Amino acid sequence: MNRRNFIEQVSVGSGAAITAPLLTFSEASEAKSSRLLNRLGQAERSADVVIAGGGLGGCAAALAALRNKRTVIMTEETDWIGGQMTQQGVPPDEHQWIETHGATQLYRDLRTAIRDYYKQNYPLTDAARASKSLNPGDGAVSRLCHEPKVALAVLQQMMAPYQSSGQLTLLLEHKITGANVSGDTVRSLKAVSQRTGKETVLTAPYFVDATELGDLLPLTGTEFVTGAESRSETRELHAPEKADPNNCQAFTVCFAMDYIAGANHVIDKPKDYAFWRNYSPKVTPAWSGKLLDLSYSNPKTLEPKQLGFHPEGISTGDKLNLWNYRRVISKANFKPGTYLGDISGVNWPQNDYSAGNLIGASEKDFKKYVDQAKQLSLSLLYWLQTEAPRPDGGQGWPGIRFRPDVMGTEDGLAKYPYVRESRRIKAVFTVLEEHVGAENRAMITGKKEGNTSADFPDSVGVGYYHIDLHPSTGGNNYIDFGSLPFQIPLGALLPKRMENLLPANKNIGTTHITNGCYRLHPVEWSIGEAVGMLVAYSLDKKVIPRAVREKEQLLGDFQTLIRSQGIETNWPKV
């Protein structure tokens, strides 16, 4: 293979780029180019597609391309693939029909494999083992609450045969730091090992941005938007009057804990505890009080709402027991003595961090915001151990134990922050609230009953979640309202200009508002799987992805192909 244009555009802090002279090489000069790369301390790898980011979208894109006989290089900043389901410590948020439809077959296979992993490897009770719909944690948030490491093990099993055959190259702890672009085409990316500092040039006909923050978009000069659009731009019912590119949803550093009655596992007081103990989010409408408290703003009404907490899973009446909310291990599902107590994941309103925006942050600011968010999460844990009100009138639960092993880290906190919002491509087609929001859709169609979301002729997937925006860096409280079961239009996966770069995470053509329902686990997976198949199909047909949408015959052929591989493109009547 020719080695061309391997000198990267190197991104600098301002977002500008310094472009080195582009060099081209003939077949006869491959050895010379290899020697030059070696002198520069760079290696080179090539594949049919390079995927930056090993989250759910990245994994789905990789598996889709791999099953269609394409070679893949996938990079991941951390040492865990799986994104929000693993490295971020968030059990899957899903819709109520997930067990039978509304997701790809491959995603449902992943869920089945997670259940089977428990049945094959854990000492379950007979009843739990016999349950077709086993929920290891019996968490309230999902029909499948599980430990991050189990999802990791299953994803590794799914990748293993492709890695063994050499069809897949997985570069863990690698960050993309540069790109070489010629016109509307990405030629290569530069990946740097987080451990060794070694640089590797990655070349391919296609590149996929599955990073959590849309990192490839500024590096490649791909047009993008951030934050909130104005109502005049999008005509969206819930959009603000004035646009604010810096107004993005809170992120969260998650952790896990269990409870040993009568024990004392109180951690050292976090250095910023005094600050967070007295902190109230600066949002409008006003928050319910202090952040570290068993009350919060009801997302739908924004009125103060009381929560319950009891680390033995005991009912707290009509108040949601936060312990049970994202519980990933319920000891009742396992043989007596297996667990001393339940294990609960913490991704709550109380540890949402909205005081800094990760998108576009310098490396220094990124670290500062994540460190502050970690201090918030540690402060929440310490508050639960020492000050949280108890039903018996006491304060604190010193038997709560931090579980670093669950997150696979030394500090006990998730490997990467749970990110709810990213840079978004300026797409061929942008999904607006009028397409998927229940109230806005009713206004457009004039139908008040039995309304359906917009029908996209170029649908390449489906999904559902209510529109859920957490408190933001721009000072918004929750924005939370109903949506409709929706489709994923191919046009939202296509940048307006770039020909061989595709998004596969939260960076598709949505708005600040509609991102709120397209950002969850099964939808991210569906986006990634569609993108992986689009790359394979475009290579087979020798056309650019935009042509697949523009030419009716190609679009129909592609949709037939993806349906044959388990991707739903339409919702049944629900």
Side-chain angles (χ1 to χ4, degrees):
M1 170 177 273
N2 290 341
R3 291 184 169 90
R4 295 185 176 92
N5 304 335
F6 64 91
I7 303 297
E8 317 300 295
Q9 282 185 340
V10 182
S11 175
V12 296
S14 65
I18 302 171
T19 308
L22 299 181
L23 306 180
T24 59
F25 295 88
S26 67
E27 294 288 345
S29 63
E30 278 199 11
K32 182 179 179 181
S33 70
S34 294
R35 289 194 297 272
L36 179 56
L37 282 166
N38 289 335
R39 287 200 301 273
L40 293 171
Q42 295 176 326
E44 183 179 7
R45 294 178 182 268
S46 297
D48 292 322
V49 58
V50 171
I51 300 171
L56 291 177
C59 286
L63 289 165
L66 291 163
R67 75 175 178 229
N68 285 280
K69 312 302 181 186
R70 292 299 171 176
T71 57
V72 175
I73 297 170
M74 185 165 73
T75 66
E76 166 53 42
E77 283 189 45
T78 72
D79 59 350
W80 279 13
I81 58 173
Q84 51 187 321
M85 194 180 277
T86 61
Q87 50 157 265
Q88 295 168 37
V90 183
D93 279 299
E94 300 168 331
H95 57 72
Q96 59 265 46
W97 306 286
I98 194 67
E99 300 290 350
T100 56
H101 59 277
T104 74
Q105 183 59 53
L106 187 60
Y107 183 77
R108 288 198 292 273
D109 290 345
L110 169 68
R111 298 173 85 255
T112 298
I114 289 170
R115 286 174 169 144
D116 287 346
Y117 190 95
Y118 278 97
K119 293 179 180 182
Q120 293 163 7
N121 297 288
Y122 282 64
L124 296 167
T125 63
D126 291 342
R129 191 175 303 280
S131 174
K132 186 177 179 181
S133 56
L134 171 66
N135 187 347
D138 287 330
V141 76
S142 173
R143 289 164 173 78
L144 183 60
C145 285
H146 54 80
E147 300 159 279
K149 63 185 178 185
V150 172
L152 173 66
V154 170
L155 288 168
Q156 289 172 331
Q157 289 176 348
M158 295 170 78
M159 300 284 186
Y162 299 111
Q163 285 184 271
S164 180
S165 69
Q167 193 180 344
L168 168 65
T169 300
L170 181 57
L171 301 178
L172 297 175
E173 297 179 276
H174 278 69
K175 183 177 176 63
I176 304 299
T177 61
N180 171 28
V181 179
S182 177
D184 301 336
T185 304
V186 181
R187 299 297 184 186
S188 66
L189 299 176
K190 181 171 69 177
V192 177
S193 169
Q194 305 282 69
R195 284 193 175 187
T196 67
K198 182 179 178 181
E199 297 178 354
T200 303
V201 175
L202 307 176
T203 61
Y206 285 95
F207 298 86
V208 172
D209 185 349
T211 62
E212 296 299 324
L213 294 167
D215 292 340
L216 296 196
L217 304 184
L219 288 177
T220 59
T222 302
E223 292 79 6
F224 65 89
V225 296
T226 63
E229 298 91 345
S230 69
R231 190 172 301 175
S232 62
E233 290 177 86
T234 65
R235 309 180 305 280
E236 292 175 306
L237 183 63
H238 289 85
E241 292 297 329
K242 184 178 180 182
D244 185 353
N246 295 313
N247 185 17
C248 297
Q249 292 184 68
F251 69 89
T252 307
V253 175
C254 303
F255 63 93
M257 58 189 180
D258 64 5
Y259 176 69
I260 313 300
N264 186 341
H265 293 288
V266 177
I267 64 170
D268 293 337
K269 182 186 288 189
K271 64 182 178 65
D272 292 344
Y273 182 70
F275 173 82
W276 290 114
R277 180 63 188 88
N278 295 294
Y279 178 81
S280 295
K282 298 172 179 62
V283 294
T284 304
W287 194 252
S288 59
K290 293 180 179 179
L291 186 59
L292 298 188
D293 193 82
L294 291 183
S295 69
Y296 77 126
S297 293
N298 184 320
K300 296 188 182 302
T301 68
L302 301 182
E303 296 294 321
K305 182 176 180 178
Q306 291 297 310
L307 297 164
F309 182 76
H310 197 299
E312 292 179 316
I314 295 170
S315 172
T316 51
D318 60 355
K319 301 173 185 175
L320 171 68
N321 184 352
L322 277 171
W323 181 268
N324 298 337
Y325 184 48
R326 294 186 185 272
R327 186 173 55 190
V328 296
I329 288 291
S330 173
K331 68 176 183 178
N333 285 325
F334 301 84
K335 290 181 178 178
T338 303
Y339 292 98
L340 296 175
D342 301 336
I343 301 176
S344 189
V346 181
N347 170 26
W348 299 349
Q350 290 86 347
N351 62 330
D352 274 1
Y353 177 89
S354 59
N357 185 2
L358 295 180
I359 300 174
S362 66
E363 186 175 343
K364 180 180 178 181
D365 283 344
F366 186 98
K367 184 180 185 303
K368 180 180 74 173
Y369 298 147
V370 172
D371 286 346
Q372 289 175 352
K374 288 183 174 184
Q375 279 293 306
L376 170 57
S377 287
L378 291 171
S379 295
L380 172 58
L381 174 65
Y382 184 79
W383 180 81
L384 291 169
Q385 292 174 321
T386 61
E387 294 192 57
R390 300 168 56 110
D392 62 8
Q395 285 188 310
W397 304 85
I400 290 175
R401 182 172 59 171
F402 208 19
R403 290 295 300 267
D405 56 305
V406 175
M407 294 297 171
T409 59
E410 290 186 11
D411 65 8
L413 301 165
K415 291 176 179 287
Y416 196 88
Y418 173 41
V419 173
R420 296 181 176 88
E421 190 166 348
S422 168
R423 301 174 180 91
R424 303 181 297 277
I425 62 167
K426 289 188 176 180
V428 169
F429 179 85
T430 300
V431 180
L432 304 175
E433 186 183 343
E434 69 182 57
H435 299 128
V436 297
E439 185 180 0
N440 204 162
R441 184 83 185 139
M443 290 172 59
I444 295 295
T445 62
K447 296 179 181 179
K448 301 297 182 184
E449 301 291 336
N451 203 3
T452 58
S453 65
D455 182 41
F456 298 130
D458 62 340
S459 173
V460 291
V462 297
Y464 176 68
Y465 201 75
H466 60 103
I467 293 178
D468 171 20
L469 279 71
H470 282 232
S472 70
T473 56
N476 295 129
N477 205 321
Y478 284 101
I479 300 173
D480 189 302
F481 56 93
S483 69
L484 301 160
F486 54 77
Q487 297 170 322
I488 301 168
L490 178 57
L493 311 184
L494 300 171
K496 283 186 175 180
R497 181 178 60 85
M498 298 300 286
E499 295 185 347
N500 69 334
L501 176 70
L502 297 166
N505 202 313
K506 302 172 186 71
N507 50 351
I508 67 169
T510 56
T511 64
H512 176 68
I513 296 293
T514 57
N515 163 72
C517 63
Y518 276 79
R519 66 178 177 82
L520 282 305
H521 302 63
V523 184
E524 182 186 333
W525 183 278
S526 294
I527 290 165
E529 195 170 345
V531 164
M533 291 205 65
L534 181 61
V535 166
Y537 184 82
S538 297
L539 287 168
D540 289 343
K541 298 296 182 180
K542 297 180 173 56
V543 297
I544 62 172
R546 197 175 306 123
V548 177
R549 182 177 185 266
E550 292 170 349
K551 298 183 178 180
E552 185 176 349
Q553 183 175 349
L554 286 176
L555 177 60
D557 186 43
F558 179 61
Q559 289 174 317
T560 298
L561 174 65
I562 64 176
R563 290 183 195 117
S564 74
Q565 295 191 20
I567 296 178
E568 300 173 26
T569 58
N570 294 286
W571 276 92
K573 290 187 177 180
V574 294

